[in-house]
Amino acid sequence: MEKATPYSNLKIFAHAHALDDIGAGKRIAPIYIRIKPTNYCNHKCYYCSYADSQLGLRDSVKRQDQIPWEKMQEIISDISDMGVKAVTFSGGGEPLVYPHIVETMQKILDSGIDLSIITNGQLLKGDRANVLANAKWVRISFDSADAGTYARIRKLPPEAFGEVCDNVRRFSEIKKEGCELGVNFVINHENAHQVYAMAEMVKELGANHIKYTARVTKDLFQYHEPFKQDAIEQIHRAEGLNGGGFRVINKYEGDFDSALVFHRCYEKCYVNRIFTVIAADSKVYFCHDKAYVKEGVVGDLKNQSFKDLWFLRETVKRYQEFNPQKECNHHCVYDDRNGLLNTFYSLDRNHINFI
């Protein structure tokens, strides 16, 4: 049987002890943390949710913000002591721009914490690549099959395209066997005709998978309508390239279904008890979708440690009172997993052995 994709929503059930503790009402350390070390980015993609104020997804993202090196070291020490199992570095900005990123990632590995990153790939070389060769996964935001389109979307010189291609190829050769190298292709009006060609290209470059997603806009359905069906047909054709350590992951079609879900059908968010975001402004947020949103702030690390904040009585009370039906009338990355967990915790325990 083929392995499930790295994006499976069932991974949470591999953490049975954590689920038991949560069910018993215990406050536990997060299993997984997303750290956004800097808000500065060396690309200027027009579809970026952190740069596009018209989308209304963020209150304020200050490009100059970055986690101070002393605070980053403290955070890593805390999460190591707490038993956090995995960290992903992402934006905000481009995480590989962070001036201490090599030392930061090495400290994560040295602490026995699983490492991953979401990057545009332009700086994926030298010491950065050598450290990331030991990561569990590296995902590159790469959305063009030719230099001209790449330059237009990201507002870069055309030669940047070849640089990223070279970085992907070289990294595929040095990464450890357990490191999943993926490409995320955001389908938009400029690149929709390149969906199949991109799959061919990244497979040849040595990637393990390509994931297709939709560019998020306020008028999502109208925006994608002119090219949606052709893009879907290309994705299905690209699935014929599966094999030889490569696979196509189709999130594009599902993006249109999840875009319609703005109301939660459950009263508890269990995911935010085992996952959190530490952002470049040194604030802790409940989740992806609430990052850089005032109502999403758990606390500020400028004058306290992450460990102290996480177990603070006021923080615990805030999580206990958190009601997604009232606070999460927006898109939710973890909606499917929260639905599963709410169903799991509502099981009639008198009948659980009759499987």
Side-chain angles (χ1 to χ4, degrees):
M1 178 182 292
E2 185 180 357
K3 287 184 180 180
T5 78
Y7 306 98
S8 171
N9 60 9
L10 299 177
K11 290 184 287 186
I12 180 60
F13 293 106
H15 300 275
H17 292 304
L19 294 181
D20 288 344
D21 286 345
I22 292 171
K26 296 179 182 178
R27 179 65 167 172
I28 66 170
I31 295 172
Y32 172 39
I33 296 178
R34 180 72 67 89
I35 298 179
K36 303 174 182 296
T38 179
N39 284 339
Y40 181 78
C41 189
N42 54 343
H43 290 198
K44 296 181 175 63
C45 310
Y46 58 69
Y47 61 76
C48 178
S49 67
Y50 295 99
D52 188 352
S53 59
Q54 293 183 349
L55 277 175
L57 299 178
R58 320 287 170 187
D59 289 336
S60 176
V61 181
K62 297 178 181 177
R63 285 173 61 85
Q64 70 272 21
D65 280 350
Q66 65 177 26
I67 299 175
W69 175 226
E70 293 77 13
K71 177 59 68 174
M72 181 67 82
Q73 293 176 83
E74 177 190 277
I75 290 168
I76 295 171
S77 177
D78 273 356
I79 65 178
S80 176
D81 289 345
M82 294 165 71
V84 171
K85 296 186 181 300
V87 166
T88 296
F89 291 99
S90 70
E94 164 53 46
L96 291 182
V97 169
Y98 183 61
H100 311 287
I101 192 62
V102 173
E103 301 95 319
T104 298
M105 295 190 299
Q106 188 60 57
K107 281 182 176 292
I108 291 292
L109 292 171
D110 292 344
S111 299
I113 299 171
D114 289 347
L115 169 68
S116 68
I117 196 167
I118 301 172
T119 172
N120 60 43
Q122 194 171 11
L123 297 175
L124 185 62
K125 50 191 170 184
D127 290 342
R128 295 175 176 89
N130 291 335
V131 174
L132 282 168
N134 300 286
K136 288 293 183 180
W137 55 264
V138 172
R139 188 192 313 158
I140 299 174
S141 300
F142 197 12
D143 42 31
S144 313
D146 65 61
T149 307
Y150 190 77
R152 286 196 304 275
I153 290 176
R154 294 179 174 261
K155 298 179 182 176
L156 295 170
E159 55 267 25
F161 174 80
E163 185 179 1
V164 174
C165 287
D166 289 342
N167 289 348
V168 174
R169 180 181 287 107
R170 283 195 294 265
F171 187 76
S172 73
E173 294 168 352
I174 69 167
K175 72 181 184 68
K176 301 295 171 58
E177 186 177 350
C179 178
E180 175 88 3
L181 175 57
V183 165
N184 189 58
F185 185 96
V186 178
I187 297 176
N188 58 60
H189 69 282
E190 296 234 43
N191 64 16
H193 64 289
Q194 300 177 348
V195 167
Y196 180 80
M198 191 66 179
E200 282 190 312
M201 187 183 82
V202 299
K203 180 176 183 178
E204 189 276 328
L205 290 175
N208 298 117
H209 73 260
I210 183 169
K211 176 166 72 86
Y212 293 103
T213 58
R215 178 194 173 189
V216 177
T217 66
K218 282 190 172 181
D219 56 345
L220 182 74
F221 291 88
Q222 288 178 312
Y223 174 79
H224 284 269
E225 184 58 33
F227 51 83
K228 177 183 174 183
Q229 193 55 44
D230 180 59
I232 291 171
E233 290 173 2
Q234 289 183 72
I235 293 172
H236 292 171
R237 185 155 61 98
E239 288 170 345
L241 299 170
N242 288 349
F246 178 80
R247 58 182 154 181
V248 170
I249 298 173
N250 178 9
K251 294 286 187 180
Y252 181 68
E253 291 181 85
D255 283 346
F256 297 95
D257 297 327
S258 62
L260 294 173
V261 181
F262 292 101
H263 179 71
R264 311 278 80 83
C265 62
Y266 41 80
E267 295 182 351
K268 290 186 181 295
C269 175
Y270 290 107
V271 170
N272 70 16
R273 305 188 188 188
I274 53 179
F275 167 80
T276 195
V277 173
I278 303 175
D281 56 5
S282 294
K283 292 179 181 177
V284 178
Y285 293 89
F286 282 110
C287 62
H288 297 298
D289 294 294
K290 291 188 179 298
Y292 300 102
V293 176
K294 183 172 62 177
E295 292 76 16
V297 176
V298 176
D300 197 323
L301 299 183
K302 290 186 178 69
N303 297 308
Q304 63 187 321
S305 72
F306 175 72
K307 187 176 182 179
D308 287 346
L309 171 65
W310 189 256
F311 291 108
L312 196 67
R313 180 181 300 175
E314 290 83 354
T315 304
V316 175
K317 185 173 184 289
R318 176 73 177 91
Y319 274 85
Q320 290 172 340
E321 295 174 348
F322 188 95
N323 184 343
Q325 288 191 344
K326 297 178 180 178
E327 302 192 48
C328 301
N329 294 314
H330 53 67
H331 173 265
C332 174
V333 172
Y334 283 121
D335 186 57
D336 54 356
R337 271 151 282 196
N338 263 321
L340 286 170
L341 287 171
N342 275 269
T343 301
F344 172 74
Y345 285 118
S346 68
L347 289 174
D348 184 343
R349 299 287 156 174
N350 191 45
H351 295 120
I352 60 172
N353 293 330
F354 296 91
I355 58 175

